[in-house]
Amino acid sequence: MAASPESEPTAVQARRERLLTRLGGGSLRTHTAGGVLINGAWSIGLQGLGFLRGFIVAAFLAPHDYGVWAIIVVGYSMLGVLRQVGIGDKYVQQDDPDEEAAFQKAFTLEAILSGGLWLILMLFTPVVALIYRAPEIVAPGLIALLAMPGAILQTPVWAYHRDMDFRRERRLTAIDPIVAMVVTAGLAIAGAGYWSFAIGNVAGTWAGAIVILRHAPYPLRFRYDRGTARSYVKFSTPLLLSNLSSIVLVQGTTLFARSAVGIAGVGALALANSVRTYTAFADGIISASMYPAICAMKDRRAVLHESFVKSNRLALMWGFPVGIGVALFGGDLIHFVLGDRWQFAVTLFQAVGIVSAIGHLAFNWDNYVRAVGDTKPVAVYAWIGLLGWAAGPVPLLLADGLRGYGIGLFVVALLNLVVRAHFMRRFFPGFAIWRHALRAIAPTVPAVGAVLLLRLVESPARPFGLVVGEVAVYVGVTAAATWLTERALLREAIGYLRRSRGLSPSPA
């Protein structure tokens, strides 16, 4: 039964007390800040492996072959994205004192949903091949689907995440990307083509599942409860609507790209999106680390506002300079890493870098509406964004290929920023996103200026050593400017990390 408004603060407070007891004392502020930095340190390496994997394979695959794998991923996302309806988020958000039963109920719903979608995707594979006129995707696509049962078996890490035991969570979840990287890169170098992605993903997922199951805090049992299912459906329905908009967006864009720029163009879109994903990895780290604490403090709006502002400032220290750096050095990245056969995608890479930088502003707004159980804004945001895609990137893709698509991305980025600002003003009255934008831009401006000044006096030829020197100048000036403008926040965050090291979570 849902808690009444009067009883909810008591339930939330009891959860906070249980959580702090398990964490060994201290404050949620300390554990959350420490968790953000711990997850950040782990993820710099792990996300870097995933990013490097894509580029290693791209260096050994022809653009057409890379496009084949991109079609497999996009085609399956038509149904696979439906499993991302927030079951894990709802499990973290709920306050059931019977924690073993709560996990097993969530696991049951995840297994039912993901297992059903897995069977549908197996049957749907020939349809995907027909839609995209790419029969070569059938065999590697079916092999790739063998990863889904392994992903279901990785759900025990939800419990460590809810308990903010980030060290153990990161150690367990590191197995999947490391194994996937080694297997995929090895097969790509050996000449396996797009098969390297399919086999590497399966190997990584199942290796991760085996390790996680050995350290599962609760036994995996099916425990279906109608009341729990209803509460999850209420929480997840707006997220499902949001995902439906993503399906329309991704499928529509890929189908138009298949016709306008061919399979090689689809591969370029996928590779550019991997750059965008990497520039956003800090956002994911901070969001995931903070979400359990946000849920545990959802009855304290002032504390939530402080956490929102500071988390955005921390993420922007990484995300904004990296995005602008991709735009500044995108041509060099393609020339020296991917090879000149990818030269047609330079403008796209530059546009994706700038758009990624803009996307970091108020990146974790949806964490806060999810924490209070109001997921409707997430669906509204997604469908407004879909209209933006229909008005910008898609028609410009048809009119001017990848360059037009890159220009259209700016339309969506600005529209999404306005919508995020609107919802945050409703949640935090008086919030002004433009102040945060100026703070984010400030450290990058002198770094960009320094690089552009160097290019004015350099020769037109760009040897590798010169590019490395420019990157060093860009990183150095950005780091110095960031320290000058944000040293108080950095010192505060480092202080929390030091204090969190002295607090040992109790064994699970």
Side-chain angles (χ1 to χ4, degrees):
M1 179 180 296
S4 66
E6 293 77 12
S7 64
E8 183 180 9
T10 302
V12 176
Q13 183 178 5
R15 173 182 177 172
R16 281 200 294 270
E17 293 173 355
R18 291 195 303 271
L19 181 58
L20 287 174
T21 298
R22 188 169 287 125
L23 289 170
S27 69
L28 280 179
R29 183 191 298 265
T30 297
H31 289 291
T32 302
V36 167
L37 297 177
I38 290 166
N39 287 341
W42 276 91
S43 296
I44 284 173
L46 297 181
Q47 289 285 350
L49 285 178
F51 180 70
L52 184 61
R53 180 179 73 149
F55 273 78
I56 288 176
V57 175
F60 286 91
L61 264 66
H64 178 275
D65 286 347
Y66 202 97
V68 169
W69 175 251
I71 288 176
I72 292 173
V73 174
V74 171
Y76 286 161
S77 71
M78 188 181 301
L79 291 177
V81 75
L82 295 178
R83 68 183 289 263
Q84 305 297 329
V85 292
I87 292 178
D89 288 345
K90 177 60 180 174
Y91 166 70
V92 172
Q93 189 264 349
Q94 53 82 33
D95 299 310
D96 190 339
D98 189 345
E99 297 180 357
E100 179 176 326
F103 168 75
Q104 290 170 348
K105 292 172 185 177
F107 165 74
T108 300
L109 295 174
E110 176 70 13
I112 292 172
L113 176 63
S114 297
L117 288 173
W118 177 52
L119 295 175
I120 293 172
L121 286 170
M122 296 284 284
L123 299 174
F124 192 69
T125 298
V127 179
V128 174
L130 182 63
I131 291 173
Y132 288 98
R133 306 190 304 279
E136 60 266 45
I137 74 169
V138 174
L142 290 174
I143 294 298
L145 284 175
L146 296 177
M148 281 193 71
I152 298 171
L153 297 177
Q154 291 189 17
T155 53
V157 295
W158 291 354
Y160 293 121
H161 187 71
R162 187 174 188 271
D163 288 345
M164 299 178 65
D165 189 351
F166 297 123
R167 289 182 175 86
R168 185 171 301 181
E169 179 192 7
R170 285 300 169 189
R171 287 196 296 267
L172 294 177
T173 55
I175 304 301
D176 184 339
I178 291 174
V179 173
M181 165 64 182
V182 172
V183 175
T184 302
L187 290 174
I189 294 171
Y194 46 70
W195 282 98
S196 58
F197 274 122
I199 297 172
N201 282 356
V202 174
T205 302
W206 277 98
I210 291 170
V211 172
I212 289 170
L213 285 175
R214 290 186 60 188
H215 297 86
Y218 308 118
L220 293 186
R221 293 176 182 168
F222 290 106
R223 185 182 294 204
Y224 181 79
D225 178 77
R226 289 186 179 181
T228 299
R230 283 194 298 269
S231 68
Y232 274 70
V233 168
K234 181 180 178 182
F235 182 89
S236 297
T237 297
L239 302 181
L240 174 62
L241 294 175
S242 172
N243 287 345
L244 288 174
S245 77
S246 298
I247 291 173
V248 174
L249 187 156
V250 173
Q251 300 301 323
T253 301
T254 306
L255 284 170
F256 282 120
R258 173 69 177 87
S259 299
V261 294
I263 292 182
V266 173
L269 291 177
L271 193 58
N273 189 60
S274 72
V275 175
R276 190 174 182 179
T277 300
Y278 186 63
T279 61
F281 90 89
D283 299 355
I285 296 165
I286 294 175
S287 293
S289 303
M290 292 184 62
Y291 185 64
I294 292 171
C295 293
M297 302 293 291
K298 58 193 172 188
D299 57 338
R300 298 184 180 181
R301 194 60 59 100
V303 175
L304 294 184
H305 182 264
E306 180 187 354
S307 70
F308 176 74
V309 171
K310 290 184 176 179
S311 63
N312 270 261
R313 287 164 60 188
L314 285 170
L316 287 165
M317 291 179 198
W318 157 270
F320 201 89
V322 170
I324 298 300
V326 169
L328 200 59
F329 297 100
D332 301 312
L333 176 67
I334 288 178
H335 176 68
F336 290 108
V337 179
L338 299 179
D340 290 336
R341 60 184 175 180
W342 290 93
Q343 195 68 28
F344 67 96
V346 169
T347 304
L348 175 63
F349 271 66
Q350 292 170 335
V352 165
I354 297 173
V355 168
S356 298
I358 297 172
H360 292 292
L361 296 166
F363 70 95
N364 59 343
W365 71 276
D366 59 326
N367 260 6
Y368 292 83
V369 296
R370 290 174 192 247
V372 298
D374 180 17
T375 52
K376 291 179 182 178
V378 180
V380 174
Y381 175 82
W383 282 91
I384 291 176
L386 180 62
L387 293 176
W389 278 81
V394 171
L396 289 173
L397 171 67
L398 296 175
D400 196 21
L402 294 180
R403 184 177 65 175
Y405 176 81
I407 295 171
L409 290 177
F410 290 105
V411 176
V412 179
L414 295 175
L415 176 63
N416 287 343
L417 182 60
V418 170
V419 177
R420 289 198 298 272
H422 166 72
F423 283 122
M424 283 296 93
R425 280 197 303 269
R426 286 178 49 186
F427 198 88
F428 298 124
F431 172 73
I433 198 169
W434 307 114
R435 286 201 296 268
H436 293 279
L438 292 175
R439 181 186 288 272
I441 294 170
T444 309
V445 171
V448 172
V451 172
L452 294 180
L453 284 175
L454 287 174
R455 291 181 180 179
L456 286 176
V457 300
E458 293 167 351
S459 62
R462 294 184 57 75
F464 183 71
L466 179 64
V467 174
V468 171
E470 287 185 2
V471 172
V473 169
Y474 179 78
V475 172
V477 174
T478 299
T482 299
W483 177 254
L484 287 174
T485 57
E486 295 285 15
R487 59 183 177 274
L489 179 60
L490 287 170
R491 285 170 175 162
E492 179 183 350
I494 293 171
Y496 288 136
L497 177 60
R498 289 171 177 168
R499 289 196 290 273
S500 72
R501 285 175 176 172
L503 300 169
S504 300
S506 59

